[in-house]
Amino acid sequence: ASILITSVIFGLMHGTPISFIYATTLGILMGWLYHAFKSIVPSMLFHFGFNTLSLFLSEDTPLFFFIASFVVFGVCLGFLIYYSIKNRDYY
């Protein structure tokens, strides 16, 4: 219940109805990441990676940000994979 409530609040803070849907869904996923890994770091990295990917997909993004966002998203994804393998005995 706490993940759902905080995810709805997270979604409401993003303004538009479509942003509410996206942010609430991502909030649930990030809440699950926190619950699964017992750390806020994977959720923070996922949020950062998702925002970077959004920048990556924008049409008005300069080439530097395009390349930087690809690298940062890869690092975040790599960390999540490493962290999940390191802590796989959780499941």
Side-chain angles (χ1 to χ4, degrees):
S2 62
I3 291 174
L4 185 59
I5 291 168
T6 55
S7 297
V8 168
I9 293 170
F10 181 70
L12 288 171
M13 296 185 70
H14 282 78
T16 66
I18 193 72
S19 294
F20 169 77
I21 293 169
Y22 286 129
T24 300
T25 303
L26 290 172
I28 292 168
L29 177 61
M30 289 185 291
W32 175 82
L33 284 171
Y34 173 77
H35 179 70
F37 294 106
K38 305 293 187 233
S39 171
I40 198 170
V41 173
S43 296
M44 291 170 56
L45 289 174
F46 181 82
H47 190 284
F48 181 73
F50 185 83
N51 286 353
T52 302
L53 182 62
S54 297
L55 178 66
F56 176 71
L57 296 175
S58 175
E59 294 177 8
D60 300 330
T61 303
L63 181 61
F64 169 77
F65 290 118
F66 178 80
I67 294 168
S69 63
F70 180 74
V71 170
V72 169
F73 186 75
V75 168
C76 290
L77 186 61
F79 177 81
L80 289 175
I81 292 169
Y82 167 77
Y83 198 81
S84 66
I85 290 170
K86 180 180 172 196
N87 295 310
R88 67 176 172 218
D89 59 334
Y90 173 78
Y91 299 102

